Amino acid sequence: GGRYYTEDDIPTYNVAEDGTVDWLTFSGFRRYHSECHVCHGPDGEGSTYAPALKKSAVNMDYYDFVATVVNGRVNGNSVMPHFGENLNVMCYLDDIYVYLKARGTDAVARGRPAKKAAKSDMIAEAENACMG
């Protein structure tokens, strides 16, 4: 169905030998740059305002990542807003996660991935159902 998982059923990326990324990784790039990069910098590299998420995604447990995005976080003067009601984030949370994992492990370079797999019918159906 175009989704990939670790042996622990955690969403993950798939990059083919020719550099083609799976749909979720490509979608994650797009969603990250529409919702997250303003604070966290392009390509998950971080900024003076917020940390590099490509590093956080490698070290952060999937469930902690989800909880942080859904509920937000306060760390001293730094505040991560909650996105639990933002469908543009929540419907693509796994996409953003796998993109950041791919960036954090250097499986995907900076910039828009040049080659992407097609969106599967299963992914399209899930997206339509979530966006309502």
Side-chain angles (χ1 to χ4, degrees):
R3 290 179 160 271
Y4 298 88
Y5 297 92
T6 66
E7 57 190 42
D8 297 329
D9 286 329
I10 303 298
T12 192
Y13 57 87
N14 184 10
V15 181
E17 287 184 30
D18 70 353
T20 301
V21 299
D22 62 285
W23 178 262
L24 260 59
T25 300
F26 177 75
S27 173
F29 165 83
R30 292 175 50 218
R31 297 302 169 171
Y32 174 86
H33 285 87
S34 71
E35 298 289 337
C36 311
H37 92 278
V38 172
C39 294
H40 291 283
D43 304 309
E45 293 288 330
S47 71
T48 57
Y49 185 71
L53 291 183
K54 76 174 205 168
K55 292 178 186 173
S56 298
V58 171
N59 298 320
M60 184 180 274
D61 173 88
Y62 170 74
Y63 300 103
D64 290 338
F65 175 83
V66 170
T68 300
V69 174
V70 170
N71 301 314
R73 174 184 283 175
V74 176
N75 185 8
N77 291 332
S78 179
V79 177
M80 161 87 179
H82 68 88
F83 287 93
E85 297 172 11
N86 182 334
L87 293 181
N88 287 319
V89 173
M90 297 312 300
C91 292
Y92 302 98
L93 192 54
D94 285 354
D95 307 34
I96 296 166
Y97 178 78
V98 298
Y99 165 69
L100 290 170
K101 272 290 200 198
R103 284 287 300 127
T105 59
D106 292 324
V108 173
R110 290 190 77 164
R112 183 182 180 101
K115 299 178 187 177
K116 66 183 182 302
K119 183 191 295 187
S120 71
D121 290 343
M122 185 175 105
I123 291 171
E125 288 170 16
E127 178 181 4
N128 290 338
C130 185
M131 293 301 283

